[in-house]
Every structure is written in structure tokens, then in C-alpha cells.
Amino acid sequence: MTEQPLIFRNIAVMRRAVAQWRAAGEAVALIPTMGALHAGHISLIKASRENARRAIVSIFVNPTQFAPNEDFSAYPRTFEADLAKLAEAGCDGCFAPMASEMYPEGFSTKILPGGPALAGLEDRFRPDHFAGMAQVVAKLLNQSQADCAFFGEKDFQQLAVIRRMAADLDIPTAIFGVPTLREPDGLAMSSRNVYLSAQERAQAVTLSRVLRDSAKAIRAGAPVVDVVARAGREITAAGFALDYFEARQAQSLAPIAGLAEGPIRLLVAARLGRTRLIDNWPVE
Ligand code: PAF
């Protein structure tokens, strides 16, 4: 029988368990999530095994990172199914706080991330998103006292913001990025994929295909500006409303015109019906 993870509803109980594990010489990894777990999340737990004996997955749909027009109330909440997946993956703990535990009466501190949070990508379309995301991630890292934390590369700008914040605020937790897990046709796994109709699901594969082909073309010497323009046209022709398709310096996320300026990451965000999809690809 698979063992159930310990369920922590409050910070003090989680911290006690973490202190015991660490006292026994066991490193602890935190995998922050908003639930609706899929194989991509499970790959984060697996990746954490290389660095930590214990894994805690947090499940909290964080209200402060959603704009009023976004999908906070519709966001999939599948706690029982999530727990079964965590048990199957051998996860040790699940931190699932109520909103009142995270943001008690009187809570009033904000984080204003700069640097990669202002790169002109997601921040152009979701202006307050990274402030809310950084706020909850800073809290989760502090609450858990984890030795290391694992995040998917699918949210590439998010990962850059978290790395910057952890460095700037002297948060001792080591931050790791894990490559995106994809469906067999290439679509990046995401909790929001459940919103796609059958027709949209078939169209959605365009994003990863265009990213892959564009990376190949840049590697083969095509001018970045031409490749990016063509990619935008292809994505629009496939029925998406394109928010952006950009080539950026992989670490700083600064605009980049060619491979001579350093490693390139291609990043895209586009909407299909009511679903907004993001993805990215390295040029290597
Ligand atoms: O990537 C996510 O699921 C969320 O932004 C995170 C990091 C769990 C913070 O709420």
C-alpha cells in the first residue's frame, strides 16, 4: 500500500516536521504548486530526490497573483486526486493551508520584484502577477524552512523572478529549475490545459512546434528578427491571439539580437478561446 503524505494545514506543524527531518540529517525539498497536479509536478518531486531525502508539496491557489479578470475561482481544485498522486510519488508532506493561514487579518506586506519581473513579457499582460507570486513564494520558503525548492521551467520568467528574489532577500533555500514535461505531441503540461476544447487541444500543439522550429532556424544561422516575425505569423494563422513571441537572453531575459550575445531563450504567450498558454524553448 502506498503511504499517504503527512497533511499540514498550518505552518507550525509543518515546521515541526521539517525540524525533525533536518535534525535527523535529512534535507528537505519544497515543491510549491497550486494543485491540479499532473506529471509535470511529479517530475519536480522526482528531481528533488537528487538533493533531498524529504519532499513537501505545497498546494495553495494563491489569490494575490490573480487579477480580477483572471481564473482564480475557476482554477481547477482537485485536492483528493492530488493527494493520491502525491502518495503514489512517495511525497512526504503536503502543505495545504487555508487562505486565513497565509493571509491572516491585518496582513499588509508586499514584495515589489524588479529585474526579470519587469522584462516586458508576462508583466506586460499580468502587471501585478509577479508581486503576488513573489509574495507567496517568499512566504512558502520561509514557512517551510526547506533546504531547496523546485520550480518548472515552463514558467520561465517566474523562475527568473524567484531566483532574483531569493538572492536579493538572502533566502538560504537553493532554487532549482526543472525542464518542462511535454505531452507526446509536444504541448507543455499545464494545469490550465484542462480548459482546452478538443479542437483547441489539437491547435495548441502549434506553440511547441513553432518554438522548436524557430530554435532550429536560429541555430542554423537565420536572423533572430526574421525568425521571431515568422513565428508570430504562424501562431496567429493557427488561430491564436498572440500576446508575444520573443527571443531573450536566457539569464537576464534582456532582448537579444543574435547568438553572439549569449544563450537565447524563446518565449511565447498566446490565447486560444478563453485559455492563455505560455511556453518557452532554449536555442542550444
Ligand atoms: O507556478 C505556480 O504554480 C505558482 O505560481 C506558484 C509558484 C506555486 C506560486 O503560487
Side-chain angles (χ1 to χ4, degrees):
M1 204 180 105
T2 46
E3 207 165 312
Q4 294 297 313
L6 298 169
I7 299 174
F8 308 122
R9 292 288 182 184
N10 66 62
I11 300 158
V13 177
M14 172 171 61
R15 275 194 175 164
R16 262 202 304 278
V18 170
Q20 277 169 8
W21 287 331
R22 295 185 72 186
E26 297 174 339
V28 180
L30 177 72
I31 296 107
T33 82
M34 297 203 300
L37 301 181
H38 51 69
H41 296 112
I42 304 305
S43 77
L44 302 182
I45 302 175
K46 287 196 184 124
S48 79
R49 296 288 181 216
E50 286 177 27
N51 295 77
R53 165 75 181 77
R54 300 287 182 176
I56 297 177
V57 167
S58 65
I59 296 182
F60 181 64
V61 185
N62 174 40
T64 70
Q65 67 188 75
F66 288 80
N69 63 334
E70 291 182 342
D71 56 346
F72 174 68
S73 25
Y75 197 85
R77 287 160 171 87
T78 56
F79 189 61
E80 291 308 320
D82 290 348
L83 275 184
K85 288 176 190 166
L86 294 182
E88 176 83 10
C91 181
D92 301 281
C94 174
F95 178 48
M98 304 288 284
S100 55
E101 179 77 359
M102 295 299 274
Y103 301 114
E105 185 77 27
F107 185 94
S108 48
T109 299
K110 293 199 164 149
I111 289 186
L112 194 60
L118 305 176
L121 297 161
E122 285 303 286
D123 47 301
R124 268 200 294 143
F125 298 88
R126 308 183 71 193
D128 298 322
H129 170 68
F130 287 127
M133 184 283 295
Q135 179 185 53
V136 80
V137 171
K139 284 172 67 66
L140 288 165
L141 296 175
N142 192 29
Q143 289 161 347
S144 66
Q145 313 267 288
D147 298 280
C148 46
F150 290 75
F151 299 86
E153 282 187 351
K154 183 178 153 284
D155 295 290
F156 200 74
Q157 188 179 7
Q158 166 172 285
L159 178 58
V161 173
I162 292 168
R163 285 192 201 283
R164 184 74 261 161
M165 176 187 71
D168 289 351
L169 299 185
D170 307 306
I171 295 174
T173 313
I175 306 296
F176 290 91
V178 179
T180 304
L181 215 66
R182 296 180 180 279
E183 302 290 353
D185 67 357
L187 177 67
M189 287 192 188
S190 163
S191 303
R192 290 190 166 100
N193 290 351
V194 296
Y195 299 152
L196 296 168
S197 68
Q199 192 201 329
E200 289 166 347
R201 174 63 189 83
Q203 286 167 277
V205 66
T206 304
L207 287 190
S208 57
R209 184 184 54 72
V210 172
L211 280 166
R212 189 196 57 218
D213 293 351
S214 302
K216 216 159 131 191
I218 293 171
R219 263 196 318 270
V224 169
V225 59
D226 295 348
V227 173
V228 166
R230 191 175 60 226
R233 284 195 300 272
E234 277 184 47
I235 290 166
T236 308
F240 286 85
L242 181 68
D243 282 350
Y244 59 81
F245 187 102
E246 299 254 359
R248 293 300 181 98
Q249 211 281 336
Q251 272 94 45
S252 67
L253 300 185
I256 193 165
L259 273 170
E261 294 165 52
I264 296 181
R265 197 89 185 184
L266 300 174
L267 301 105
V268 66
R271 284 164 287 124
L272 261 184
R274 66 185 185 112
T275 311
R276 188 167 182 278
L277 298 173
I278 61 172
D279 200 356
N280 64 85
W281 206 280
V283 179
E284 34 180 42

